[in-house]
Amino acid sequence: MGPAGTALLCLGLCMGQGIKAQAETFLRPTLKADSGPLIPKGTPVILRCKGHPGATWYYLMMGETQSQGAVGAGMEANFLIPSMTKDTAGSYHCLYKTQSGISEPSEPLELVMTGFYDKPSLLVLSIQKVVEGQRVILSCHSEQLFDRFTFYEEKGVNTSRLQKVLFGTNITSASMTTTKEGTYRCYSFHSRYPYLWSASSDPVEVRVSASPSPPDATPQDYTVSNLICLSLAGLVLIILGVLLVEAWYSWRALLA
């Protein structure tokens, strides 16, 4: 290989390594809240942005506005929101800076402040303990008018949204059905203020028991069959006895 070929090979290798390094440098960061995305009013919350070991600075953005900045501490930087209020509730994302440039933003984290409105009531409209496969109807009721209701299932220290019920007009209640055992809560809010929710309803527990096995009818069937057979046999014996008695009397009458 001549000098020109060697130079081209080296250039190709360098470019490939540069592209690989850039891809490794700008991994997309992730943003999470320690206590989950539902934050009670007035409660502090820590947001953790995970990026890249080479990061020198992390940025926390609320919407399009920078909220906080922090010196990078390896893979992660923490941001403290001292108190959740109507002004700190909203959509957040983070990004980081390295010597090569700035990463793309993380996926948005929707921080919701709960407790802005009074808590609704969560009711079970069917029996609270059901057999596996049966449906349970849950109804979320509020004294105020709302156009959004949402139901959550508790899973340990976390909650998982089950269903958001949407309405075009303001109402006071919404319902959903479930076949799963668990602990449920609901919230209400207005679509104009999607990050300001009511306090959580009191939890409602739904218990699901296994379907009862059908009783084994075989021994009973045998007993009934035996009784029928014995009854028929007895009836036959009675008839035969009557016929024998009549035949005996008829024979004696002939002899007389």
Side-chain angles (χ1 to χ4, degrees), residues 186-229:
C186 72
Y187 301 84
S188 53
F189 61 99
H190 291 289
S191 57
R192 290 179 298 171
Y193 310 106
Y195 303 111
L196 304 179
W197 289 13
S198 69
S200 166
S201 68
D202 291 331
V204 166
E205 292 188 9
V206 173
R207 292 288 172 256
V208 177
S209 59
S211 300
S213 301
D216 188 358
T218 303
Q220 184 178 1
D221 289 346
Y222 283 141
T223 302
V224 172
S225 299
N226 291 337
L227 289 175
I228 293 174
C229 291

Side-chain angles (χ1 to χ4, degrees), residues 106-159:
S106 65
E107 290 286 346
L109 172 65
E110 312 289 337
L111 284 188
V112 172
M113 185 187 79
T114 62
F116 192 73
Y117 308 103
D118 293 338
K119 68 179 181 181
S121 301
L122 183 59
L123 306 174
V124 179
L125 299 185
S126 53
I127 57 176
Q128 201 158 342
K129 186 174 182 180
V130 297
V131 176
E132 186 177 5
Q134 288 183 333
R135 292 185 176 273
V136 177
I137 302 175
L138 303 175
S139 177
C140 188
H141 176 78
S142 175
E143 297 297 328
Q144 301 172 263
L145 294 173
F146 293 96
D147 62 354
R148 298 291 187 273
F149 289 84
T150 185
F151 295 83
Y152 274 76
E153 179 186 5
E154 293 184 355
K155 295 182 178 179
V157 297
N158 299 317
T159 57

